[in-house]
Amino acid sequence: MMMSSCKKDHNSTPIPVPKPIATLGMYEVDSGIYKRIFIPITKVGTQSVTYYSVFDTGSTGMTIDATGLIPASMITNTGITVAGDSVNVNGITITSQTAVIAYGNTQSEIQEFGNLAYAPVTIGDQNGNVTTTRIPFFLYYKIVDNTTGQKQPAHSNDVFGVGPGVSFANSNIGSPLSYFKTAAEVTSGFKLAMLNNASFSLTGTYVSGLLTIGLVPNDLAINGFVMHNLTYYSQGGYSPDIPATINYNGTSVAGTILFDTGTPAISTIANQNAASNISQLPANTSVTITTGKGFSYSYTTASANDITQVAKPSYTGDPRTIFSINFFTENEFLMDYADHKIGLKNN
């Protein structure tokens, strides 16, 4: 009996490795008073531009000044001229929906006045960039410092808010990074590498690889991040505030923490039982943060770095403890938009 045999094909097709959407650099700036990280915006609609937006984990939604994006004749002291429900100019759809966005607290507040708009946006510059689909954002025509009542220069408060949820000013606006379509096994979100403390400079230093858009399985499974589930609220959607305990000078305070790249200098511990409305912790004070999920981080205040104050929420109007950009010079940060989680990692 003749037997025939078959061979198995060992040349199987390799399984593609999931890749993030993009990895971009940002500019680290130190004015001598404030530290900031800026992400370049190089195209809005059909307009090629070069503006630098504050990368802000503490707010949601992109805001950008209308100056240089639309004709100056459309921008007045009282608003942007929109005939009917909307107008399309330079590839930007500007709606008649107006709002005011506020940053800061009752003691120091900046307000932006403008309209809901839509356009594709190019994020990044010649060092690397990526373009969104048509996304919603806030196009403002005026910025006012409420403490002085003074109008601020154009583009002086462009914000790239990457927080979860939606903008309090307009629920149509979410993080610009949340609108990217992801491939299979890539999760909507971003990862922020530890900032290079030595790279902050007066003129701004480009640091590559700081921002990864799109999360691969390793980011969410074995990369050492402590994950925190976010709470949903009827206004604003998912909140970036994380329950935690803060210890300083023998005092323990339970509350919620916002880890905020948009706070450029001074961290604020909220304590309604503080001895005064607001006071700065002395240099060489040890501060420890412990979240409900077990992430822990300690630092020591200094006269020119990790400056921390204690304030009564009744004075600031904000019940949260807010840790400034200095936190990000020693830790990594991850935002999962799909499963509504924030990841924190010591480094």
Side-chain angles (χ1 to χ4, degrees):
M1 182 181 295
M2 300 294 291
M3 300 287 292
S4 62
S5 62
C6 63
K7 292 183 179 180
K8 291 185 177 179
D9 186 0
H10 293 285
N11 297 321
S12 57
T13 303
I15 299 173
V17 177
K19 294 182 179 180
I21 294 164
T23 300
L24 304 177
M26 289 189 280
Y27 291 84
E28 296 188 5
V29 178
D30 186 350
S31 69
I33 302 173
Y34 297 138
K35 289 179 180 176
R36 294 284 198 189
I37 47 173
F38 289 95
I39 189 161
I41 303 298
T42 47
K43 196 171 188 180
V44 180
T46 59
Q47 284 290 93
S48 294
V49 296
T50 303
Y51 298 126
Y52 296 90
S53 288
V54 175
F55 187 87
D56 186 12
T57 57
S59 69
T60 301
M62 178 180 127
T63 76
I64 190 166
D65 199 300
T67 303
L69 295 179
I70 63 176
S73 59
M74 293 182 64
I75 306 169
T76 73
N77 289 329
T78 57
I80 298 172
T81 303
V82 178
D85 292 335
S86 65
V87 63
N88 190 287
V89 57
N90 296 336
I92 304 167
T93 301
I94 309 165
T95 77
S96 59
Q97 296 182 44
T98 60
V100 180
I101 293 182
Y103 296 94
N105 57 41
T106 56
Q107 302 305 311
S108 176
E109 186 178 73
I110 296 289
Q111 288 187 330
E112 297 177 354
F113 299 77
N115 297 55
L116 169 67
Y118 295 85
V121 177
T122 299
I123 307 161
D125 56 17
Q126 71 279 359
N127 297 295
N129 58 73
V130 64
T131 301
T132 70
T133 56
R134 182 175 175 269
I135 65 169
F137 62 96
F138 189 69
L139 187 70
Y140 65 91
Y141 65 91
K142 181 172 68 173
I143 329 162
V144 175
D145 184 340
N146 268 4
T147 59
T148 64
Q150 296 297 309
K151 186 178 177 181
Q152 303 299 294
H155 293 286
S156 62
N157 200 61
D158 290 354
V159 176
F160 196 81
V162 295
V166 294
S167 169
F168 283 92
N170 191 302
S171 61
N172 290 295
I173 301 174
S175 163
L177 300 184
S178 69
Y179 295 101
F180 283 103
K181 296 187 184 301
T182 58
E185 296 191 61
V186 178
T187 299
S188 176
F190 71 89
K191 183 171 60 174
L192 181 63
M194 187 177 73
L195 304 181
N196 187 343
N197 213 16
S199 294
F200 283 96
S201 66
L202 184 61
T203 56
T205 302
Y206 178 80
V207 181
S208 63
L210 286 179
L211 175 66
T212 300
I213 305 171
L215 304 171
V216 299
N218 281 355
D219 294 326
L220 301 172
I222 60 174
N223 223 8
F225 283 93
V226 179
M227 302 301 293
H228 301 77
N229 295 315
L230 303 180
T231 301
Y232 181 85
Y233 295 94
S234 57
Q235 184 179 13
Y238 286 93
S239 167
D241 303 334
I242 296 173
T245 301
I246 306 98
N247 290 282
Y248 65 96
N249 277 347
T251 300
S252 181
V253 182
T256 56
I257 292 180
L258 174 65
F259 295 100
D260 186 15
T261 56
T263 296
I266 302 174
S267 296
T268 301
I269 299 172
N271 183 357
Q272 189 55 48
N273 297 316
S276 60
N277 281 336
I278 192 165
S279 61
Q280 186 171 313
L281 291 178
N284 299 315
T285 299
S286 178
V287 179
T288 299
I289 307 159
T290 305
T291 70
K293 292 295 184 180
F295 172 83
S296 184
Y297 167 64
S298 297
Y299 67 92
T300 301
T301 62
S303 58
N305 198 37
D306 284 315
I307 298 171
T308 304
Q309 61 189 13
V310 179
K312 291 184 177 182
S314 57
Y315 177 72
T316 62
D318 195 331
R320 302 170 298 175
T321 289
I322 300 177
F323 284 102
S324 74
I325 194 170
N326 288 302
F327 171 84
F328 299 85
T329 64
E330 296 188 39
N331 300 278
E332 294 182 56
F333 183 91
L334 178 150
M335 180 71 71
D336 180 344
Y337 295 122
D339 292 325
H340 316 296
K341 296 178 181 180
I342 284 177
L344 303 173
K345 181 182 177 182
N346 297 128
N347 204 330

